[in-house]
Amino acid sequence: MDRNGQGRPKPSTVHTDNTITQNGFKITTRKLPILKAEAIESMTTQLGITPPEMIFGDNMVSIEDLASGWGLEFNTFDALDRVDKTGGSMLQVAHSKEWQSTREKKHEGITEVVKPFDWSYSTDYKGTPRATIPQFEPSTSPIPLDLLRRPDPILFFDEVILFEDEMADNGITLLSCKIRVMPSRLLLLCRFFMRLDNVLLRIRDTRIYIDFESGEVIREYVAKEEKYEAVRQKLAMKGQDVPAQLRDPNSVNDLLPIVEKSLEHLLVR
């Protein structure tokens, strides 16, 4: 996919964006209904895979530094373009077989759900750059949580769903973005959450932190996953409402071990 978004499907509906500009950074969100049949067909052709059952293809979150032209966008098409389209991942194949074996007695024709691509729509999407420079570089400086804990006024907040699928009533896969803007900084969280009942839970978080004064952008990516039964047992030991907690990524996030992590930064000023 072209980093400038060329070739990506154009918005299928007349839209109104929510926008705020703070210290030279323009933040924009867009939330529109689920795509219609014609737009879904076009996306299917361009992606090469069948999109999730609830596809918000016009939705997006973007951040742009007006002075330098640098920007980062989170959109549905590019997120799905990161999904494994070959079905060749051993991890995914193992899980699909396990899921099929646990469900085939209850659901006839379950093999139709196991596609020749990653049917969980797992994506390691970290955003789409709007410019080739500057580029992210490895870093050891984490996101300053102490600054984010300050009781600063929230000037702008939004949550945008990019796609969702209930995996034939056997779980959920969801990609969404949350962004909050304070006077001196912003934080964006793009979270992929997948729960495949009796098999696996997975969370992949991309966080973008921007300090408006210094122009530093920090990008943190953390991937976590754990077997379903292991998480269920941990929740049961706490005496919590297990079914409700398993539906909430915030409730299970600390129970999943980290399997991949990266930290990067860049300066736009």
Side-chain angles (χ1 to χ4, degrees), residues 183-230:
S184 299
R185 58 192 60 86
L186 72 75
L187 180 68
L188 178 148
L189 169 63
C190 182
R191 167 167 285 177
F192 172 81
F193 173 58
M194 188 272 287
R195 187 196 77 247
L196 183 54
D197 293 340
N198 300 316
V199 180
L200 186 76
L201 283 95
R202 172 177 288 154
I203 292 178
R204 294 178 176 177
D205 286 343
T206 296
R207 288 179 172 85
I208 304 295
Y209 171 86
I210 299 180
D211 185 297
F212 295 143
E213 295 181 5
S214 68
E216 183 180 23
V217 182
I218 300 175
R219 179 166 68 181
E220 178 191 74
Y221 175 75
V222 179
K224 299 180 176 183
E225 60 184 58
E226 180 61 287
K227 292 182 178 179
Y228 182 95
E229 182 60 22

Side-chain angles (χ1 to χ4, degrees), residues 84-88 114-118:
D84 173 28
K85 302 176 184 179
T86 67
V114 183
K115 310 289 185 179
F117 62 88
D118 182 0

Side-chain angles (χ1 to χ4, degrees), residues 22-215:
Q22 181 70 12
N23 288 37
F25 283 87
K26 182 179 179 182
I27 297 93
T28 305
T29 63
R30 180 188 305 148
K31 293 191 289 187
L32 288 171
I34 295 173
L35 288 184
K36 296 181 180 180
E38 183 178 350
I40 292 176
E41 183 177 351
S42 175
M43 179 173 284
T44 300
T45 300
Q46 295 185 58
L47 283 174
I49 60 175
T50 302
E53 56 189 359
M54 287 175 278
I55 180 77
F56 299 88
D58 294 328
N59 288 5
M60 68 89 184
V61 179
S62 71
I63 304 167
E64 181 184 4
D65 177 46
L66 297 177
S68 67
W70 175 87
L72 194 65
E73 180 178 305
F74 289 80
N75 66 78
T76 307
F77 183 89
D78 289 344
L80 287 171
D81 207 28
R82 296 289 303 174
V83 171
D84 173 28
K85 302 176 184 179
T86 67
S89 169
M90 293 300 293
L91 180 64
Q92 301 301 332
V93 171
H95 286 154
S96 67
K97 288 180 179 178
E98 183 177 352
W99 175 57
Q100 181 179 341
S101 68
T102 62
R103 296 294 177 175
E104 59 187 358
K105 294 182 180 179
K106 294 184 180 180
H107 300 276
E108 295 182 1
I110 195 70
T111 52
E112 296 179 2
V113 180
V114 183
K115 310 289 185 179
F117 62 88
D118 182 0
W119 42 270
S120 74
Y121 297 101
S122 294
T123 178
D124 61 354
Y125 185 50
K126 303 180 183 72
T128 305
R130 283 189 168 183
T132 56
I133 55 173
Q135 295 184 355
F136 281 102
E137 299 178 350
S139 174
T140 57
S141 299
I143 293 174
L145 298 179
D146 55 329
L147 296 179
L148 292 171
R149 293 192 185 102
R150 291 181 178 180
D152 295 332
I154 297 178
L155 307 178
F156 180 89
F157 173 84
D158 209 350
E159 180 174 8
V160 179
I161 296 176
L162 298 182
F163 66 75
E164 183 175 353
D165 192 287
E166 295 183 350
M167 307 177 76
D169 295 327
N170 291 290
I172 188 172
T173 181
L174 171 70
L175 183 68
S176 63
C177 293
K178 291 183 180 180
I179 187 167
R180 60 184 170 111
V181 181
M182 289 74 73
S184 299
R185 58 192 60 86
L186 72 75
L187 180 68
L188 178 148
L189 169 63
C190 182
R191 167 167 285 177
F192 172 81
F193 173 58
M194 188 272 287
R195 187 196 77 247
L196 183 54
D197 293 340
N198 300 316
V199 180
L200 186 76
L201 283 95
R202 172 177 288 154
I203 292 178
R204 294 178 176 177
D205 286 343
T206 296
R207 288 179 172 85
I208 304 295
Y209 171 86
I210 299 180
D211 185 297
F212 295 143
E213 295 181 5
S214 68

